[in-house]
Every structure is written in C-alpha cells, then in structure tokens.
Amino acid sequence: MTIDYIPEPPGATEGERFGPPWQGVTLPREILDRHGAKILDPWAVGLDPGETRPDSTVYRADVLLVPGTVLRSDEAVTWIDATLADIGLKLSEESVVRARERDYGPGTTWVPAVLEINEESRDVRADAWPALRALRRALDGEPAERALRSELADISLDHLFVGSATSGIGSLNLGGEPATSGHAVIDEPGVTARPGYGRVPVTVVAGPPRRRTVEQLGGPRITVVMLDTGVAGHPWFKPVDAADAFLTVDPPGQQLIEDTHPAYAGRDIARLVGYEDLGHLPNPLVGTLNSHTGHGLMLAGLVAQIAPDARVVMYKVMHSDGVVPEEAVHAALDRLLARMDDGEPVDVLCCSFGGFAETGDPAMNALFNKVNQLRARGVIVVNAAGNYATTRPFYLAALSETAVQGPPLAPMLGVAAKNPDGTIAIFSNEHPAVRWLAPGAMVVSTFPPQFRGAQNATLSTGERASLDCDAVGPFCGWSGTSFAAPVVAGTIAAELTKTIGQVVVDPVERARTVIDTMINDKVVRPEVVPI
C-alpha cells in the first residue's frame, strides 16, 4: 500500500476542467425533512444590485449559527430581532435562554439559534438565507465602533455536511457520490460483470494486528480523534470503557454534542444521541441498512490495521444517513480544545465528511479558525476530498493548503482516493489543496456484525445462497475518500509513534517534521516482509 503526495497541485487548463465545477449536493426530500434542511438554489434567490450570486449548499432551513457572545448580549439580541422584524422573523426565546445557560471557554463558540415567525406576521417562511442577508445588509449601515460588530458579522448558516459513502455520480452509475438512501450497493452481485464501489460483505481470515503495551512503547499512545457515526461492538475491539482500549469515547463530550441540537419548539428533527452507531434504518417498514451505517467503525478499523499502537477516540457527529450538522462539529472541536487545555493529548484529527459552501472560503471561516486552534497545538488535521468527481471546493479539504498568518501551524491535509491499481478513483474530487492520494476504492475494514437489513439474497435454496449485501457481517469492502483519509491518518499515527519517548519536542515542529518525512519519502504502509 502506498500513499502519494502531489508536489505540484493540478493547474487550470484550457476548456472544461475535469468534473463539473458547479456540482452541488443532491439529497432526497425525506433526508432534508428529517433534518429540517433545504438546498440553497442560486437561481431562485433575491439579489441586491452588485451582489454576487451564491453557490448551492445545504443548511438547516430555519437556524443560524451565532457566536455565543452575541446571544448573551441583550443589546445584540434586540438588534437582531429588530432587523429580522422587517422580514417577519425573530430569534426563538428558547434558543437565547439555552445559549445563556451554556459554559463557554476562552474562544468563540458558535451556537444554533432557531428562527421563529413574529406573532403579527402572516405567510412568512422562516428561511435562514434571507435572514442572514438582512442582518449583513443592516450591519453594513452600522458605525464601525458598534458593539460586537465583528461577532455579528460572523453569524452564518448552519451548514449540513455529508459523509463520503458511495452510490453514483448522476446517471453515470460510476460510484462515488455520497449515498442518500438504502444501502450503498450499486448492483446486486452477479447482475453485471463490473464491480461497483458500494458496501459489500467480505471475509477476513486474519485476526487483528498485534498491539504493543504502553510499557513496550515507552510512552503514551498517539491519539487519533475521529468525528463520524460513533462506535459499535466488534470482535477486533475491546469495550470502549476497557483499560487501554484501542477504540474509545468521551461520554461528557458526547453529551455536549447532543445538547447543542437546535432548540426547536416541539419539532421532530433528527438528533444525535449517545456515542453508539445505532444503525438506524432509513425506513423501518422497509428495513434496508442506512447509507452510512458502520461508517465510523470502518474508519477505526483502517487505523487499527496501520497503527495498532495508537488509540482512536470517536465522537459521533454523523447521522447514519450521512448528514453532519455544523453545530455538532463545532461542539466536538470545542470539546477537543478544552480537553487539550486540560492536558489530554490529541495528535491527529480525521474528518471524513465535508460539503459545499454558498460563498466559498469565507463561509467556512468559523470552522477553519477552530481547526487552526487545534493545529496551533500540534494537531495534524486530515480531511476527505469528497466524492463528487468535481473541481468545486469541498470543505474543509479545500482549505488544506490555505496560508495562515502568524506562528507555524501543524499541517492540514486533503486526501483523494486511489483504486487498487494506483489510478485515481473516478469518483474522487480534484482541487489544488488536495495533494494526497491514498487507497480508497474497495478497501476492507471492520463493520458492525450485528447490523442486518431486510433485503434478502438474490438467490437462496435454504442452505445455499448468493451474497446478501444487506447482511454485511464483521467486515466489508467499501469505497470513498472517507476511507482514504483514515489510511493517511493511520500512517501519520504510525510515524508519530516512532517519536514516542523523545526528549521534549515542540508538538507543531514534530507534526511538520513527520509530514515533511512523508512527502520526501514515498510512504509504504505497512512494511511488507515476504514469508
């Protein structure tokens, strides 16, 4: 297995670049309704003279992400409500009360605030996009010395990101676009001669890789944090609360993520509960496995194969349908910063999700600033490139090469996917910031054996049956840049493990040195010794 670094990013060429640069997210109506979301249609929004038309994105329809300092200020809340009154909206009182009950650290914390319709208004839609435009327009007319001006300018949409499982790119049926319903299998086995990129059960006859004890290592384990679908039981992994378990969780941190769910007034919107991947079915009456069931365990298993001496801490921010609310990501990052301030180690952060932004890089400033606080502490951030076969920026991967003023930061990497033969996977995104290529097509890893959907084998005689892709078992093959990212994260963890026991080393310098080593030496993991 090799990981490649692209020394020169792909440049612009004459004519159409590979993949449609305008590619947007397409999600079925039932998923949008489940999360109280909508897709911003660039051609159906109002524009002021000279205003740039936005791009498509997915966001909670009636929620804004607001800095906590703003919601704690009576003056700021009054100004927001007065501004929104012109379009018949206001902030929900419950959102403001909940925001003021939270404990905030020294950095900026973004809080979801639900929009409500004013009592005297009629035929008004609570839409966060026109609400955000109204606030920005009003703020342009405010004096420069206005209190909390910069914080008010930071109010943004509550984006919904997506995981990187696979179904198909448009009508091409090539595999690669995030799956949105049912299981992620493109074709039933045996129907076509060409394999798809979807989730397929496989048999693994080897056991888990050998793991050295902390005493044998001579120092603390390297910590890889994953933000994904949560954990599930598997024969390879001890219980998450076992001593020195490879796969672990942070229940208090997970509770913070759960409590950050928007303060809806009695609306039934899907929420993240606990740290377990519960394998929720998209439609219990039909019963097929959800598109991203087992996604997080696949990621953990890939790191285990490459860096068994490390440990993985999983935070559940992704629903089993692949949707990742931005407020959950903020809560997880806030928790990581707080834990690091308390002396807890974090060495690598792996994010196998992303999305498109309506105004490009500026729309992602809040998250970028947050991950940069982790990078300033020496955390290497690894992001999946996305699976839309497009050149359109997919965040956060598209910010991986963005220069930041100030002291040096630990590297941030964007990772594309390779096929087993070394070619770039047809579904993988392309972007100048995506400089790393790792195996991501039909990789084999751990899957929750207790999850089984209602779909049956195509052919069965009782004792004999064809492959049942809705009964995956303890292992499966799956494709996506989602899985290329943990391959790189695991390789980084293995390289960092070599530094355990070194005399005091600046964490940022250590991180940069490890990545430079991986760039200069073609990385092969694991080292293969013929028998």
Side-chain angles (χ1 to χ4, degrees):
M1 180 204 80
T2 61
I3 296 173
D4 302 322
Y5 175 74
I6 305 172
E8 294 296 330
T13 57
E14 295 183 4
E16 188 78 62
R17 291 187 65 195
F18 177 70
W22 59 85
Q23 175 74 55
V25 178
T26 55
L27 293 175
R29 181 78 258 168
E30 60 267 23
I31 286 187
L32 295 174
D33 288 346
R34 185 183 304 152
H35 298 282
K38 68 181 301 182
I39 297 176
L40 180 64
D41 183 350
W43 302 102
V45 299
L47 294 176
D48 293 336
E51 184 179 3
T52 302
R53 189 173 298 279
D55 292 318
S56 60
T57 192
V58 182
Y59 63 101
R60 290 202 192 270
D62 55 355
V63 177
L64 290 172
L65 273 184
V66 184
T69 50
V70 169
L71 295 179
R72 285 184 291 177
S73 167
D74 289 335
E75 179 187 354
V77 170
T78 299
W79 181 85
I80 291 174
D81 283 344
T83 301
L84 295 181
D86 293 338
I87 56 174
L89 300 176
K90 64 178 182 179
L91 298 178
S92 78
E93 183 178 348
E94 184 181 359
S95 294
V96 175
V97 170
R98 281 183 53 182
R100 294 180 177 182
E101 291 174 345
R102 285 189 57 175
D103 293 328
Y104 297 95
T108 303
T109 299
W110 272 262
V111 181
V114 177
L115 298 170
E116 290 184 344
I117 299 172
N118 278 324
E119 291 79 1
E120 63 274 13
S121 301
R122 295 291 183 272
D123 295 326
V124 173
R125 289 182 297 173
D127 191 335
W129 174 246
L132 181 60
R133 291 182 65 242
L135 292 174
R136 290 174 175 171
R137 188 185 300 121
L139 195 60
D140 287 341
E142 291 288 314
E145 63 274 11
R146 198 208 187 288
L148 295 176
R149 182 187 179 92
S150 61
E151 288 84 353
L152 288 167
D154 285 337
I155 297 174
S156 70
L157 297 178
D158 186 4
H159 301 90
L160 294 185
F161 301 118
V162 291
S164 304
T166 59
S167 60
I169 302 171
S171 60
L172 300 179
N173 205 33
L174 295 173
E177 183 179 321
T180 53
S181 62
H183 53 77
V185 176
I186 297 173
D187 294 311
E188 285 297 321
V191 174
T192 63
R194 286 185 173 273
Y197 283 110
R199 185 173 58 200
V200 176
V202 297
T203 299
V204 174
V205 297
R210 177 180 173 272
R211 190 174 196 233
R212 290 177 289 179
T213 66
V214 174
E215 290 73 19
Q216 290 171 327
L217 285 176
R221 298 191 183 280
I222 297 300
T223 299
V224 179
V225 171
M226 290 184 165
L227 310 184
D228 215 85
T229 57
V231 301
H234 191 275
W236 270 23
F237 302 130
K238 298 177 181 178
V240 293
D241 57 355
D244 196 32
F246 173 82
L247 181 57
T248 63
V249 293
D250 172 20
Q254 197 66 55
Q255 187 63 51
L256 291 176
I257 295 172
E258 185 174 336
D259 293 341
T260 308
H261 185 75
Y264 288 110
R267 288 184 59 192
D268 186 19
I269 301 298
R271 63 184 302 152
L272 295 160
V273 178
Y275 55 75
E276 294 180 300
D277 183 345
L278 302 175
H280 286 141
L281 304 176
N283 185 335
L285 298 181
V286 177
T288 52
L289 290 178
N290 218 334
S291 62
H292 289 62
T293 293
H295 193 262
L297 201 66
M298 280 281 298
L299 272 56
L302 289 169
V303 174
Q305 294 176 58
I306 300 169
D309 291 327
R311 69 170 185 142
V312 168
V313 181
M314 178 80 70
Y315 288 90
K316 180 176 166 183
V317 301
M318 184 187 294
H319 293 267
S320 57
D321 58 13
V323 170
V324 181
E326 186 175 355
E327 80 273 354
V329 180
H330 271 288
L333 297 179
D334 286 335
R335 175 62 175 175
L336 290 181
L337 288 167
R339 293 193 76 185
M340 293 193 75
D341 288 342
D342 291 337
E344 290 285 336
V346 177
D347 301 291
V348 185
L349 173 64
C350 183
C351 299
S352 287
F353 58 85
F356 301 116
E358 74 281 4
T359 55
D361 295 359
M364 292 294 133
N365 276 343
L367 275 179
F368 189 47
N369 291 338
K370 196 69 66 70
V371 297
N372 286 342
Q373 294 177 48
L374 289 169
R375 294 170 67 196
R377 292 163 167 82
V379 180
I380 301 172
V381 181
V382 182
N383 301 299
N387 305 324
Y388 287 88
T390 182
T391 59
R392 183 180 173 189
F394 187 80
Y395 297 95
L396 289 166
L399 292 169
S400 297
E401 295 288 320
T402 300
V404 179
Q405 296 295 323
L409 303 177
M412 185 158 110
L413 285 57
V415 184
K418 295 197 300 182
N419 289 312
D421 64 359
T423 57
I424 299 175
I426 194 68
F427 55 76
S428 191
N429 287 358
E430 178 182 317
H431 188 271
V434 176
R435 306 283 289 276
W436 295 82
L437 283 167
M442 292 313 293
V443 296
V444 174
S445 188
T446 50
F447 190 86
Q450 63 272 29
F451 293 157
R452 182 187 179 97
Q455 183 173 336
N456 294 320
T458 305
L459 182 64
S460 175
T461 63
E463 294 182 357
R464 297 170 63 85
S466 59
L467 193 65
D468 183 352
C469 289
D470 222 14
V472 177
F475 304 94
C476 76
W478 208 347
S479 302
T481 59
S482 270
F483 309 116
V487 168
V488 172
T491 302
I492 294 170
E495 294 297 316
L496 286 172
T497 297
K498 298 176 182 178
T499 70
I500 291 176
Q502 289 183 359
V503 186
V504 181
V505 178
D506 177 73
V508 173
E509 180 182 342
R510 181 185 68 160
R512 295 169 70 91
T513 299
V514 163
I515 298 303
D516 285 344
T517 300
M518 291 174 59
I519 291 173
N520 295 329
D521 303 331
K522 190 176 181 67
V523 179
V524 180
R525 279 285 171 186
E527 291 89 351
V528 177
V529 179
I531 58 174

